[in-house]
Amino acid sequence: MTTQQLRPIVSVFPIKGKVKTIKQVPLPSVFSAPIRPDVVRFVHTNMAKNNRQAHAVSTTAGEQTSATSWGTGRAVARIPRVKGSGTGRSGQAAFGNMCRGGRMYAPKKVWRKWHRKINTNQKRYAVCSAIAATAVTPLVMSRGHRVNKLPELPLVVSDQLQSLTKTRQAVKFLKFIGAYRDVEKVIRTKKTRVGQGKYRNRRHVLRKGPMVVYARNLGIKKAFRNIPGVETASVYTLNLLKLAPGSQMGRFIIWTESAFKLLEDIYGSWEKPSKFKSGFYLPRPVMVNTDVERIIKSDQVQTVLRNRRPRSRKYGKKIQRADPYEDMSVMVKLNPYYKTKLQKQKELEEKNKKERKEIVDKSRKEYEDWLYFSEEEEEEEEEEEEEGSDEDREIEVLSDEN
Amino acid sequence: MSKQVPETIKKQAKRSFNSKEVKQEKNQKRMKLLKEIHEKAYKRAEKYEKEYLEQEQKLVELKQKALKEGSFYREPEPKLAFIIRIRGIVGVPPKPRKILQLLRLRRIYSGVFIRLNKSSLRMLHFIDPYVTWGYPDVETVRALIYKRGHARVNHQRKIIDSNEMIYDKLQKYDIVCMEDLVHEIFTVGKNFKHANSFLWAFKLKPPVGGFSTVKKSFVNKGEHGNREQYINTLVKKMI
């Protein structure tokens, strides 16, 4: 269910004359199946293994000697060596995968698992995806098909195509409808295969051109058989390996009208099961509407959303702030009272200082006063002492002698 | 060339949370709130200064009174302790390790405030060899919270760079500014638990001048264990 190509009506074109719509046909539900490249890749890589042919190495390769190890003490490696003499081969190493002429490591066996089982539903899912992708022009173009000149994609053509018998007619039709450019590309790029396949009967490599899908083979198979690059297929047996060659979706397909209509029956829809694949409904996509941006922007979603959280510039970022004890502005922001506090402290300090000063001054003054008065007394005493000093001394001397 | 504006953009422009008026209103509200917080912060800081001073004076008074009467005044036991982890994380036995984890002391030189009661004292007993702790005074609590206070906001450690941060988280506990926070921690109020858990564990620097020996207890001229009021000098060296 791609929103880009929800085209319910598809034009049917004639096979000759004028390129214009002769009829209109509803688009089968398969073309709205989910396009899952991962599923297609998985199924393709496993499906591609199923046409392999077994190959192996001969069981006796490298073992057809009676070589024995010489053991130790002979200054040679202990690998088994060919017995005998008289030939260059004698004494040569044998048997090991490292030896010249020895058997390989893990010789390949035929009973290797060549084929892969894939779940039926997965296979069908992949085919539905691949068919849906054939209607998506960018996918077809990216696969490399030259689809610029086509009138429409998916290209549906009248049933008369099924009755073509001659290759000339087929080519004429392709040119008429604008699909021959793709064929020209195939012819132009035919190359010798790179590698050893070229001398193993796989000499040439061709691109894939348009694929013609029919409902009834009334000669169409033979008509398109010899055109390089073009493949035909019955709509009942669409092969993933052809719908998505190299697990790359978007093969250029030319549908006949009845084949196109049959797709609805063969693959069913989401409501009605397939008529040919029992119990099979078309796979459901994980998301029906993949335009996520539009869904988010729609009114229904936006009105129910909570308001956008404000970008917390407050403390969203890692904020470095200065040390409040060094930067006053930071301190004041955190504690507006701080400046007042400092002021008060200062005032208190000054007040204390003042008081102290007063006390100190007062006591100093008292001391000085006391000093001053005591000096005066001393002077008076000294004067008194000087006057009567001689007499006193004489008396003292006399007394001592006695 | 006139461009048609897509409808979705027109509709978006109409929606309320984008309009200018709403933004203006919000801004005005915020400015008003900031002013409120600012005023409250001023008044409360003033109140607390007085309170701390009174407490000191009261203590002195009671001591003097007791002396006069010939008895002694037994000070109330300290309610708040500041613990600093001084040993690393290597080779710590499980029980002390768990207790250190519970106390948020997960790395060396990390510090936390803790309320002292019988249970917490028991816990401290177990982790004595790994921590040093004591009774911080107001200035220590202030310095820690102002200089090294980080808040736990949205499971993140963010430095407290405005009172708005504190208001947003602790308004319901009537703590709106730094001084409120300091007061709640220092006086171990009713909402000590919330104030303390708002603070991330303090990450301190190794002490200037170093330790003597962490292996011995403080009492034995070492560093670990209870060092009562000497925690204040240590924090000054580590802050």
Side-chain angles (χ1 to χ4, degrees):
Chain A
M1 278 207 206
T2 52
T3 50
Q4 60 160 319
Q5 288 198 337
L6 218 71
R7 293 143 84 237
I9 305 277
V10 177
S11 309
V12 181
F13 297 97
I15 61 168
K16 56 186 169 196
K18 255 202 164 167
V19 180
K20 62 173 188 173
T21 318
I22 51 171
K23 204 175 177 188
Q24 290 203 313
V25 169
L27 187 76
S29 313
V30 208
F31 289 96
S32 308
I35 294 176
R36 288 284 299 269
D38 55 325
V39 177
V40 169
R41 173 171 294 143
F42 174 78
V43 176
H44 186 278
T45 51
N46 287 312
M47 224 184 233
K49 293 173 185 170
N50 290 343
N51 68 348
R52 294 197 289 189
Q53 288 185 345
H55 63 266
V57 133
S58 166
T59 43
T60 56
E63 305 274 6
Q64 294 177 54
T65 46
S66 59
T68 326
S69 170
W70 286 355
T72 51
R74 295 251 234 144
V76 289
R78 291 178 277 171
I79 192 83
R81 294 180 182 276
V82 174
K83 295 227 185 81
S85 55
T87 172
R89 180 76 175 134
S90 50
Q92 280 184 348
F95 286 143
N97 52 310
M98 63 286 231
C99 304
R100 183 176 178 277
R103 128 207 65 70
M104 66 178 279
Y105 161 73
K108 298 188 201 140
K109 303 292 179 198
V110 231
W111 54 82
R112 174 191 292 209
K113 185 176 155 201
W114 301 103
H115 305 94
R116 293 289 180 274
K117 275 190 192 172
I118 311 146
N119 302 341
T120 309
N121 215 36
Q122 268 185 325
K123 286 190 272 190
R124 289 172 181 169
Y125 198 128
V127 170
C128 289
S129 268
I131 294 172
T134 62
V136 180
T137 320
L139 283 177
V140 179
M141 286 180 87
S142 86
R143 237 210 117 254
H145 293 291
R146 309 298 189 250
V147 291
N148 288 343
K149 303 287 182 183
L150 294 182
E152 192 170 330
L153 204 67
L155 186 59
V156 187
V157 143
S158 110
D159 278 341
Q160 286 177 345
L161 189 70
Q162 291 169 163
S163 318
L164 288 185
T165 51
K166 300 293 258 172
T167 309
R168 195 184 302 127
Q169 292 169 340
V171 171
K172 203 165 164 207
F173 156 73
L174 289 174
K175 286 184 177 171
F176 162 77
I177 208 77
Y180 197 68
R181 278 195 73 218
D182 214 19
V183 176
E184 280 176 340
K185 173 198 85 184
V186 173
I187 298 167
R188 190 168 26 96
T189 58
K190 178 178 178 180
K191 271 213 196 93
T192 314
R193 186 183 292 266
V194 173
Q196 289 163 348
K198 67 164 95 56
Y199 38 78
R200 293 185 184 173
N201 308 327
R202 289 172 247 134
R203 187 147 185 104
H204 298 290
V205 188
L206 282 178
R207 296 285 99 78
K208 293 264 182 231
M211 184 157 121
V212 182
V213 177
Y214 57 85
R216 283 185 68 198
N217 175 25
L218 302 169
I220 184 174
K221 236 176 142 174
K222 285 208 184 140
F224 282 94
R225 192 165 66 180
N226 206 25
I227 306 174
V230 178
E231 281 174 336
T232 53
S234 161
V235 74
Y236 295 101
T237 53
L238 287 172
N239 188 351
L240 180 74
L241 301 174
K242 299 229 170 74
L243 289 173
S247 79
Q248 177 80 312
M249 292 191 287
R251 185 85 190 263
F252 169 27
I253 300 182
I254 301 169
W255 307 89
T256 60
E257 190 195 323
S258 37
F260 198 68
K261 283 189 196 158
L262 271 170
L263 282 176
E264 185 72 32
D265 287 335
I266 294 171
Y267 293 100
S269 67
W270 295 277
E271 277 84 53
K272 275 199 289 201
S274 155
K275 286 189 186 152
F276 296 88
K277 305 175 199 291
S278 79
F280 178 71
Y281 289 86
L282 275 181
R284 284 169 202 285
V286 174
M287 270 184 99
V288 169
N289 180 7
T290 50
D291 196 348
V292 179
E293 201 181 326
R294 197 150 156 250
I295 292 172
I296 291 172
K297 288 221 157 88
S298 71
D299 247 0
Q300 293 94 316
V301 171
Q302 290 288 328
T303 49
V304 183
L305 293 178
R306 63 157 166 75
N307 281 353
R308 199 178 194 180
R309 285 215 181 103
R311 275 175 64 207
S312 51
R313 293 166 206 277
K314 305 192 244 178
Y315 31 91
K317 301 184 210 155
K318 187 170 184 183
I319 298 169
Q320 299 289 349
R321 67 145 163 80
D323 180 5
Y325 288 99
E326 289 176 11
D327 191 348
M328 183 55 88
S329 60
V330 178
M331 186 48 133
V332 171
K333 186 179 177 196
L334 293 170
N335 183 5
Y337 180 72
Y338 190 72
K339 271 209 171 134
T340 324
K341 177 176 156 187
L342 285 183
Q343 240 182 5
K344 287 200 171 168
Q345 273 183 0
K346 210 171 166 195
E347 286 172 8
L348 197 70
E349 249 182 66
E350 290 189 353
K351 185 169 140 217
N352 288 339
K353 220 175 171 185
K354 218 169 152 195
E355 283 179 7
R356 286 236 70 204
K357 193 161 183 289
E358 284 177 6
I359 293 169
V360 167
D361 285 346
K362 189 165 159 219
S363 64
R364 184 170 287 146
K365 191 163 179 289
E366 283 180 6
Y367 177 70
E368 283 176 2
D369 287 345
W370 173 82
L371 253 185
Y372 177 71
F373 284 125
S374 59
E375 276 177 10
E376 285 185 346
E377 285 175 12
E378 272 188 23
E379 282 175 16
E380 287 176 5
E381 282 181 14
E382 281 179 12
E383 283 172 7
E384 286 176 8
E385 283 183 12
E386 279 175 13
E387 281 179 354
S389 60
D390 290 334
E391 283 182 351
D392 286 344
R393 261 200 236 133
E394 278 184 2
I395 298 168
E396 279 177 35
V397 167
L398 279 172
S399 60
D400 277 338
E401 274 185 0
N402 290 338
Chain B
M1 187 170 90
S2 65
K3 266 194 179 172
Q4 273 211 315
V5 181
E7 258 206 58
T8 46
I9 292 181
K10 276 194 203 159
K11 283 184 181 170
Q12 239 184 358
K14 265 198 217 165
R15 285 185 198 117
S16 59
F17 52 81
N18 266 338
S19 68
K20 260 192 191 171
E21 298 92 48
V22 176
K23 281 190 184 169
Q24 263 187 359
E25 214 188 294
K26 273 198 178 166
N27 206 20
Q28 277 178 0
K29 269 194 188 166
R30 182 163 174 254
M31 287 298 137
K32 206 170 149 204
L33 182 69
L34 286 180
K35 199 164 169 225
E36 252 186 68
I37 296 172
H38 193 265
E39 284 174 3
K40 271 195 189 165
Y42 188 91
K43 288 206 186 115
R44 288 190 186 187
E46 203 177 10
K47 186 175 90 178
Y48 296 143
E49 288 300 322
K50 279 202 199 127
E51 199 184 299
Y52 298 143
L53 202 67
E54 277 174 13
Q55 268 184 16
E56 276 184 43
Q57 288 172 347
K58 193 174 169 197
L59 200 65
V60 171
E61 255 183 57
L62 288 168
K63 279 193 184 162
Q64 287 181 344
K65 186 166 163 224
L67 260 180
K68 274 205 198 130
E69 293 174 4
S71 66
F72 60 90
Y73 176 67
R74 186 180 175 213
E75 288 177 40
E77 285 178 10
K79 289 184 284 186
L80 176 73
F82 186 67
I83 320 173
I84 305 173
R85 180 170 179 162
I86 52 175
R87 285 189 86 159
I89 53 176
V90 179
V92 182
K95 202 169 202 144
R97 197 186 335 140
K98 183 65 179 179
I99 296 175
L100 288 164
Q101 277 176 21
L102 291 170
L103 294 172
R104 298 188 288 160
L105 296 165
R106 278 180 184 265
R107 59 152 49 179
I108 193 170
Y109 307 134
S110 58
V112 290
F113 288 109
I114 185 174
R115 180 209 307 263
L116 287 177
N117 48 36
K118 183 162 178 195
S119 352
S120 59
L121 279 169
R122 282 253 183 276
M123 290 168 92
L124 287 175
H125 175 75
F126 271 107
I127 59 168
D128 254 357
Y130 304 92
V131 300
T132 183
W133 56 283
Y135 318 132
D137 62 17
V138 192
E139 283 312 313
T140 309
V141 176
R142 252 206 208 111
L144 282 166
I145 294 180
Y146 275 82
K147 190 165 180 194
R148 300 242 176 255
H150 289 252
R152 190 166 58 92
V153 168
N154 278 342
H155 309 287
Q156 290 173 349
R157 177 174 178 261
K158 297 247 182 275
I159 196 161
I160 305 174
D161 77 322
S162 72
N163 288 326
E164 198 184 357
M165 210 177 190
I166 302 175
Y167 179 88
D168 279 344
K169 281 279 160 185
L170 299 174
Q171 177 221 3
K172 54 181 150 183
Y173 307 113
D174 201 27
I175 302 171
V176 302
C177 56
M178 283 291 243
E179 280 301 309
D180 264 341
L181 192 60
V182 168
H183 179 258
E184 193 67 29
I185 299 278
F186 179 64
T187 59
V188 188
K190 252 201 290 183
N191 295 309
F192 175 82
K193 177 194 158 93
H194 302 281
N196 201 12
S197 72
F198 169 75
L199 289 168
W200 200 277
F202 296 93
K203 288 199 206 174
L204 302 171
K205 299 190 291 189
V208 175
F211 281 135
S212 58
T213 165
V214 172
K215 292 192 182 164
K216 289 202 201 158
S217 69
F218 186 77
V219 167
N220 286 321
K221 300 181 204 164
E223 300 291 346
H224 75 237
N226 189 0
R227 61 171 68 203
E228 303 194 358
Q229 76 268 34
Y230 294 102
I231 195 76
N232 294 304
T233 52
L234 180 64
V235 170
K236 276 204 183 63
K237 290 192 202 166
M238 292 178 81
I239 201 164

